[in-house]
Amino acid sequence: MEKKKQALPARRQVVMSGIRPTGFLHLGNYFGAVRNYVRMQEEYECYFMVADLHSLTTHPDTKELKANVHRVLAENIACGLDPDKVALYCQSHLYETCELYLYLCMLAYKGELEKTSTFKEKARKQPDNINAGLLTYPVLQTADIIIHRARYVPVGKDQEQHLEMARNFVNRFNHRYGEVFPEPAAFNFGEELLKIPSLDGAGKMSKSENQYATIYLSDDDELIRKKVMRAKTDPGPAERNSAKPDYIENLFLLMKLVGTGDEVKKFDEDFNNCTIRYGDMKKQLAEDMVKFVHPIREKAEAFRNDEKYLKEVMQKGAEKATKSANATMERVREAMGLKYF
Ligand code: TRP
């Protein structure tokens, strides 16, 4: 029987994001970012990159870089990122990014770079090292994204200005040299970005704030229990069906995320009846949290100690990323008139 000629499958929409290799992954990163990546890998063509070059703008000492890169890879894989489904690679392994970065530098103006909030903040923090890499950070980030001609960039609010700049650089490029790049936009899977509240009731979980108020995926069971038991509470509601204060609402949210629905319902009823015992609730939450984090931590440790596996992951990732980057760079050099023979 004659085989029907099949049309080439349309390229799936391209998603790209960068993960800084500084600090340990915490619950806020998990629910705010990594879980979204994991969902996206099924439906999109995904490029997830460890931003090791960007880290040089603030951390020029590279002694710990290798260990940090390994850890970040291991933690993300432990959370469910599948190196066979996505391109998981290191920024420094994709050399083409540096070429594109250079071209984009000629389209980026000193004035706009100096006005960037992240630049101003970092310049204030490291007045003795206001290097050109720091100034052009958003240009390199743009190159990371558009080297794959990505349209969707799963990032948090703090990256919005960088994406705005990326769109400006893209438009300038397209205007000057012809349409090569789609405009990239911030994107998240499904609902709005979840902000994970910190355990002390002040702000969200983050690396820089109170360490006891943030649960890391590398925390051991005892530390998790200790942190949860120290979470802020009060003597309990005085009236039936009162509104929950923020820090109590937070405990309920965390329980919803890591636990089973049943307990949430029970404690919710207890709250409304004014019979809630926060000590019991925190004990339950601590156990739910341990159950949630423990397997991720174990997996991450195993991957982290398997250098051979990590090497294969990085090589495979670099290969996929390079293939996509080469296709883009051919178009770029052509569009820019850099082909002399
Ligand atoms: N700047 C991002 C951050 O601080 C990391 C990053 C580097 C990135 N390159 C990227 C994010 C490309 C999205 C796309 O988190």
Side-chain angles (χ1 to χ4, degrees), residues 16-18 20 49 51 54 137 141 144-145 153 155 159:
M16 192 279 152
S17 196
R20 263 178 306 178
M49 171 202 88
H54 271 123
Y137 186 113
Q141 182 164 346
D144 292 333
I145 299 166
V153 189
V155 283
Q159 296 296 309

Side-chain angles (χ1 to χ4, degrees), residues 238-293:
E239 275 176 51
R240 279 167 167 268
N241 303 317
S242 27
K244 297 189 183 88
D246 286 352
Y247 47 91
I248 299 297
E249 194 72 79
N250 293 347
L251 297 182
F252 275 93
L253 171 62
L254 288 171
M255 193 178 253
K256 264 184 216 143
L257 288 172
V258 300
T260 64
D262 304 349
E263 297 115 22
V264 177
K265 204 163 154 254
K266 171 194 173 305
F267 286 110
D268 204 39
E269 281 165 14
D270 291 354
F271 180 89
N272 288 331
N273 297 331
C274 305
T275 55
I276 190 159
R277 295 165 55 152
Y278 288 131
D280 291 347
M281 181 177 179
K282 289 201 281 190
K283 261 190 213 141
Q284 181 66 49
L285 178 59
E287 291 321 304
D288 291 345
M289 195 66 87
V290 165
K291 249 195 223 142
F292 184 84
V293 174

